[in-house]
Structures are given as structure tokens and as C-alpha cells.
Amino acid sequence: MRQEWECPDPVVRQQLVEEYHGGCQICQEGFQKRSGEPFFISKYLVSRTKARTIDRLGNVLCLCANCSAKFQHGAVEMKDPDQQILALRTIAEGGTGEPAIAFRLCGEDQLIVFSERHLIDLQELLKELTPQHPADAEA
């Protein structure tokens, strides 16, 4: 049986264009379609089969076709991605200005680079999705 999903939210797609101009967050490569629009693939972090309603900037990566295929079908090794993301800081928080998380993609060391706007929304999303520990709720 084939499943069809609605197209990614055009508002989120436009936000990715504004943040990355169609450049891949992993390899920074990209190209313009015949129409002049940047070509990229929006890759959801939290699967739409688990959380279909999370159409927001923080839940989507801007990837070129090659990195998207590797990310979807190849070996991805990432140590504590949520902790890496939550540890990143914006410039206002003392960060370096190029927040990124390290991982291995198809056996090669890589970085996923985030704009500050994207990082902030991703961190908020992770905080919303992370169940609170009873001790945290009492504090």
C-alpha cells in the first residue's frame, strides 16, 4: 500500500529559503532550478508518521539531493543529538555564531550547521517534546 503525505508547509519552506538560500546544511552546496528558485529537499527530523503536525522550522533540515539521500538511506552516527543541539548557544548567549552538531554520515565526519533562528526553534521544539522528569516539575 502506498502512502501519500501532504507537501511540506510552504511557510516553513520559505523560512528555509530565507535562512539558507537553498544551500545544504551539511555540504553547503545547492543550485537554482530553471524557475530561479533554489532546489533543496526538506528533511523532517521528527518523523511525520509520528508527529504529522510538527510543520515548523525547527523540525526541518535544508539538504541537497545527495546529502538527503545519504541521510535517509546511509549510515548515520550521531552521539546524543538532542544534547548537542541543546548545548549550542546563539551569539547573544556567548556562542560562536555558527552553531553546528557533529556526526558521521556514510562513514565521513560531517557537521549540520544551523542559523541562529533555526537553532532557537529547534531547541524550543526539543524542549516541548522532551518529557519532564518528576523532580524537574516539582522544582
Side-chain angles (χ1 to χ4, degrees):
M1 181 172 154
R2 190 176 84 160
Q3 291 182 331
E4 292 185 28
W5 304 104
E6 64 269 11
C7 292
D9 185 333
V11 172
V12 174
R13 189 164 181 86
Q14 182 58 39
Q15 290 172 330
L16 289 170
V17 169
E18 292 169 8
E19 296 303 306
Y20 304 106
H21 311 287
C24 178
Q25 286 179 252
I26 296 173
C27 71
Q28 288 69 50
E29 296 294 320
F31 67 91
Q32 301 297 313
K33 297 189 284 187
R34 289 181 199 104
S35 66
E37 299 280 323
F39 175 85
F40 62 91
I41 297 172
S42 305
K43 193 57 119 175
Y44 284 88
L45 297 170
V46 175
S47 168
R48 296 188 72 187
T49 59
K50 294 181 181 173
R52 274 181 76 188
T53 60
I54 306 180
D55 272 331
R56 60 189 270 186
L57 180 62
N59 190 33
V60 185
L61 293 177
C62 179
L63 300 177
C64 71
N66 192 43
C67 288
S68 176
K70 287 179 179 181
F71 201 82
Q72 183 171 348
H73 301 288
V76 179
E77 303 167 55
M78 195 175 304
K79 185 177 179 183
D80 300 319
D82 291 0
Q83 292 306 314
Q84 282 193 67
I85 291 164
L86 291 171
L88 295 173
R89 299 290 169 248
T90 64
I91 291 174
E93 298 169 319
T96 63
E98 185 138 305
I101 60 170
F103 75 114
R104 289 183 60 78
L105 182 61
C106 296
E108 297 179 6
D109 291 332
Q110 300 286 350
L111 295 174
I112 299 175
V113 179
F114 296 92
S115 70
E116 289 199 354
R117 176 180 170 200
H118 194 173
L119 172 65
I120 290 167
D121 195 55
L122 176 54
Q123 288 175 332
E124 288 302 315
L125 176 61
L126 287 175
K127 289 173 188 172
E128 290 171 15
L129 294 174
T130 302
Q132 298 235 346
H133 297 287
D136 294 340
E138 294 172 10

